[in-house]
Amino acid sequence: MSMEQLYQQLILDHARERHGHGLRGDASGPGAGESFQVNPTCGDEVRLRVRLSDDGTRVADVSWEGVGCSISQASTSVLSDVVTGAGVADVESFAAAFDDLMHSRGAALDPATEERLGDAAAFAGVSKYPARVKCALLGWMALRDALIKASKGE
């Protein structure tokens, strides 16, 4: 099985078994944030909730619900695995790296970037298809917005 086939299988697995799926907790109060995002091109939707640690430095929990294609669902599932428990600064850095990957237009990943991205590197092939990039980024856009709201206590 080629690496591309393994990546495709990982995306399909996450689309079927969506990690973090099902909204938990309250979206209001200190350290909590929620964002609803829609991809108007295809109609994919995601509502994502984030709760920060008591000191506001870590992502304590991520939960979400959404409808859409396997790419948007799988990307948000991987996001949930990657950011839960991570430091907020690390999450921002990771989100920027994923955004760079999605705008790479299929350029080969260097081994260090591939290792850093972990399962998120599976979406490298998606970057070859500009119409699908928005699908892969939908959950990440919701995460960034929810983190801003959580840090402001909105």
Coordinates of all heavy atoms in Angstrom, one line a residue, residues 40-81:
P40 N -19.8 28.2 1.8 CA -20.9 28.5 0.9 C -20.7 27.8 -0.4 O -21.7 27.7 -1.2 CB -20.8 30.0 0.8 CG -19.4 30.4 1.2 CD -18.9 29.4 2.1
T41 N -19.5 27.4 -0.8 CA -19.3 26.7 -2.1 C -20.0 25.4 -2.1 O -20.6 25.1 -3.2 CB -17.8 26.5 -2.3 OG1 -17.1 27.8 -2.2 CG2 -17.5 26.0 -3.7
C42 N -19.9 24.6 -1.0 CA -20.5 23.3 -1.1 C -21.6 23.0 0.0 O -22.2 22.0 0.0 CB -19.4 22.2 -0.9 SG -18.5 22.3 0.6
G43 N -21.7 23.9 1.0 CA -22.7 23.8 2.0 C -22.3 23.0 3.2 O -23.0 22.8 4.1
D44 N -21.0 22.6 3.3 CA -20.5 22.0 4.5 C -20.6 23.0 5.7 O -20.5 24.2 5.6 CB -19.0 21.7 4.4 CG -18.7 20.5 3.4 OD1 -19.7 20.0 2.9 OD2 -17.5 20.2 3.3
E45 N -20.9 22.4 6.9 CA -21.1 23.2 8.1 C -20.4 22.6 9.3 O -20.4 21.3 9.4 CB -22.6 23.3 8.5 CG -23.5 24.0 7.4 CD -25.0 24.0 7.9 OE1 -25.3 23.5 8.9 OE2 -25.7 24.6 7.1
V46 N -19.9 23.4 10.2 CA -19.4 22.9 11.4 C -19.7 23.9 12.6 O -19.6 25.1 12.4 CB -17.9 22.6 11.3 CG1 -17.1 23.8 11.1 CG2 -17.4 21.8 12.5
R47 N -20.1 23.3 13.7 CA -20.2 24.1 14.9 C -19.2 23.5 15.9 O -19.2 22.3 16.2 CB -21.6 24.0 15.5 CG -21.7 24.8 16.8 CD -23.2 24.8 17.3 NE -24.1 25.2 16.3 CZ -24.4 26.5 16.0 NH1 -23.8 27.5 16.7 NH2 -25.3 26.8 15.1
L48 N -18.2 24.3 16.4 CA -17.1 23.8 17.2 C -17.1 24.5 18.5 O -17.2 25.8 18.5 CB -15.8 24.0 16.4 CG -14.6 23.4 17.1 CD1 -13.7 22.7 16.0 CD2 -13.8 24.4 17.8
R49 N -16.9 23.8 19.6 CA -16.8 24.4 20.9 C -15.4 24.0 21.5 O -14.9 22.9 21.3 CB -17.8 23.8 21.9 CG -19.2 24.3 21.7 CD -20.2 23.8 22.7 NE -21.5 24.2 22.4 CZ -22.6 23.7 22.8 NH1 -22.5 22.7 23.7 NH2 -23.8 24.1 22.4
V50 N -14.9 25.0 22.1 CA -13.6 24.8 22.8 C -13.7 25.3 24.2 O -14.4 26.3 24.5 CB -12.4 25.6 22.0 CG1 -12.6 27.0 22.0 CG2 -11.1 25.2 22.5
R51 N -13.0 24.6 25.1 CA -12.9 25.0 26.5 C -11.4 25.0 26.8 O -10.7 24.0 26.6 CB -13.6 24.1 27.4 CG -13.4 24.5 28.9 CD -14.5 24.1 29.8 NE -15.9 24.5 29.5 CZ -16.4 25.7 29.7 NH1 -15.6 26.6 30.3 NH2 -17.6 26.0 29.5
L52 N -10.9 26.1 27.4 CA -9.6 26.3 27.8 C -9.4 25.8 29.2 O -10.3 25.7 30.0 CB -9.1 27.7 27.7 CG -9.2 28.4 26.3 CD1 -8.7 29.8 26.4 CD2 -8.4 27.6 25.3
S53 N -8.1 25.5 29.6 CA -7.8 25.1 30.9 C -8.1 26.3 31.9 O -8.2 27.4 31.4 CB -6.3 24.7 31.1 OG -5.5 25.8 30.6
D54 N -8.1 26.1 33.2 CA -8.4 27.1 34.1 C -7.5 28.3 34.0 O -7.9 29.5 34.2 CB -8.4 26.6 35.5 CG -9.6 25.7 35.8 OD1 -10.6 25.7 35.1 OD2 -9.5 24.9 36.8
D55 N -6.2 28.0 33.7 CA -5.3 29.1 33.5 C -5.2 29.7 32.1 O -4.5 30.6 31.8 CB -3.9 28.7 34.0 CG -3.3 27.6 33.1 OD1 -3.9 27.2 32.1 OD2 -2.1 27.2 33.4
G56 N -6.0 29.2 31.2 CA -6.2 29.7 29.8 C -5.0 29.4 28.9 O -4.9 29.9 27.8
T57 N -4.1 28.5 29.3 CA -2.9 28.2 28.5 C -3.0 27.0 27.6 O -2.2 26.8 26.7 CB -1.7 28.1 29.3 OG1 -1.8 27.0 30.2 CG2 -1.4 29.4 30.1
R58 N -4.0 26.1 27.9 CA -4.2 24.9 27.2 C -5.6 24.7 26.7 O -6.5 25.2 27.3 CB -3.8 23.7 28.1 CG -2.4 23.8 28.6 CD -1.9 22.5 29.3 NE -1.3 21.5 28.4 CZ -0.3 21.7 27.6 NH1 0.3 22.9 27.5 NH2 0.2 20.7 26.8
V59 N -5.7 23.9 25.7 CA -7.1 23.5 25.2 C -7.5 22.3 25.9 O -6.9 21.2 25.8 CB -7.0 23.2 23.6 CG1 -8.4 22.7 23.2 CG2 -6.6 24.4 22.9
A60 N -8.4 22.5 26.8 CA -8.9 21.4 27.7 C -9.9 20.4 26.9 O -9.8 19.2 27.2 CB -9.6 21.9 28.9
D61 N -10.7 21.0 26.0 CA -11.7 20.1 25.3 C -12.0 20.8 24.0 O -12.1 22.0 23.9 CB -12.9 20.0 26.2 CG -13.9 18.9 25.6 OD1 -13.4 17.8 25.2 OD2 -15.1 19.2 25.6
V62 N -12.3 19.9 23.0 CA -12.8 20.4 21.7 C -13.9 19.4 21.4 O -13.8 18.2 21.5 CB -11.7 20.3 20.6 CG1 -12.4 20.6 19.3 CG2 -10.6 21.3 20.9
S63 N -15.1 19.9 21.1 CA -16.2 19.1 20.6 C -16.8 19.8 19.4 O -16.7 21.0 19.3 CB -17.2 18.8 21.7 OG -17.8 20.0 22.2
W64 N -17.5 19.0 18.6 CA -18.1 19.6 17.4 C -19.2 18.8 16.8 O -19.3 17.6 17.1 CB -17.0 19.8 16.3 CG -16.3 18.5 15.8 CD1 -15.4 17.8 16.5 CD2 -16.7 17.8 14.7 NE1 -15.1 16.7 15.8 CE2 -15.8 16.6 14.7 CE3 -17.6 18.0 13.6 CZ2 -15.9 15.7 13.6 CZ3 -17.6 17.0 12.6 CH2 -16.8 15.9 12.6
E65 N -20.0 19.4 16.0 CA -20.9 18.7 15.1 C -21.0 19.4 13.8 O -20.6 20.6 13.7 CB -22.3 18.7 15.8 CG -23.0 20.1 15.9 CD -24.3 20.0 16.6 OE1 -24.6 19.0 17.2 OE2 -25.0 21.0 16.5
G66 N -21.3 18.6 12.8 CA -21.3 19.2 11.5 C -21.8 18.2 10.4 O -22.0 17.1 10.7
V67 N -22.0 18.8 9.3 CA -22.4 18.0 8.1 C -21.6 18.4 6.9 O -21.2 19.6 6.9 CB -23.9 18.2 7.8 CG1 -24.8 17.6 8.9 CG2 -24.3 19.6 7.5
G68 N -21.3 17.5 6.1 CA -20.5 17.8 4.9 C -19.8 16.6 4.4 O -20.0 15.5 4.8
C69 N -18.9 16.9 3.5 CA -18.1 15.9 2.8 C -17.1 15.2 3.8 O -16.9 15.6 4.9 CB -17.4 16.5 1.6 SG -16.0 17.6 2.1
S70 N -16.6 14.1 3.3 CA -15.7 13.3 4.1 C -14.4 14.1 4.5 O -13.8 14.0 5.6 CB -15.3 12.0 3.5 OG -14.7 12.2 2.2
I71 N -14.0 15.0 3.6 CA -12.8 15.8 3.9 C -13.0 16.8 5.0 O -12.2 16.9 6.0 CB -12.3 16.6 2.6 CG1 -11.8 15.6 1.6 CG2 -11.3 17.6 3.0 CD1 -11.6 16.1 0.2
S72 N -14.2 17.5 5.0 CA -14.4 18.4 6.1 C -14.6 17.7 7.5 O -14.1 18.1 8.5 CB -15.6 19.3 5.8 OG -16.8 18.6 5.9
Q73 N -15.3 16.6 7.4 CA -15.6 15.8 8.6 C -14.3 15.2 9.2 O -14.0 15.2 10.4 CB -16.6 14.7 8.3 CG -17.9 15.2 7.9 CD -18.7 16.1 8.9 OE1 -19.2 15.5 9.9 NE2 -18.7 17.4 8.7
A74 N -13.5 14.6 8.3 CA -12.2 14.0 8.7 C -11.2 15.0 9.2 O -10.5 14.8 10.2 CB -11.6 13.2 7.6
S75 N -11.1 16.2 8.6 CA -10.2 17.2 9.0 C -10.6 17.7 10.4 O -9.7 17.9 11.2 CB -10.2 18.4 8.0 OG -9.3 19.4 8.4
T76 N -11.8 17.9 10.7 CA -12.3 18.3 12.0 C -12.0 17.2 13.0 O -11.7 17.5 14.2 CB -13.7 18.8 12.0 OG1 -13.9 19.8 10.9 CG2 -14.1 19.5 13.3
S77 N -12.2 16.0 12.6 CA -11.9 14.9 13.5 C -10.4 14.9 13.9 O -10.1 14.7 15.1 CB -12.3 13.6 12.9 OG -11.9 12.5 13.7
V78 N -9.5 15.0 12.9 CA -8.1 15.0 13.2 C -7.7 16.2 14.1 O -7.0 16.1 15.0 CB -7.3 15.0 11.9 CG1 -5.8 15.4 12.1 CG2 -7.4 13.7 11.1
L79 N -8.3 17.4 13.7 CA -8.1 18.6 14.5 C -8.4 18.3 16.0 O -7.6 18.7 16.9 CB -9.1 19.7 14.0 CG -9.3 21.0 14.8 CD1 -9.7 22.1 13.8 CD2 -10.2 20.9 15.9
S80 N -9.5 17.6 16.3 CA -9.9 17.3 17.7 C -8.8 16.5 18.4 O -8.4 16.8 19.5 CB -11.2 16.6 17.7 OG -11.5 16.1 19.0
D81 N -8.3 15.6 17.7 CA -7.2 14.7 18.3 C -5.9 15.6 18.5 O -5.3 15.4 19.6 CB -6.8 13.6 17.3 CG -7.8 12.5 17.3 OD1 -8.8 12.5 18.2 OD2 -7.7 11.6 16.4

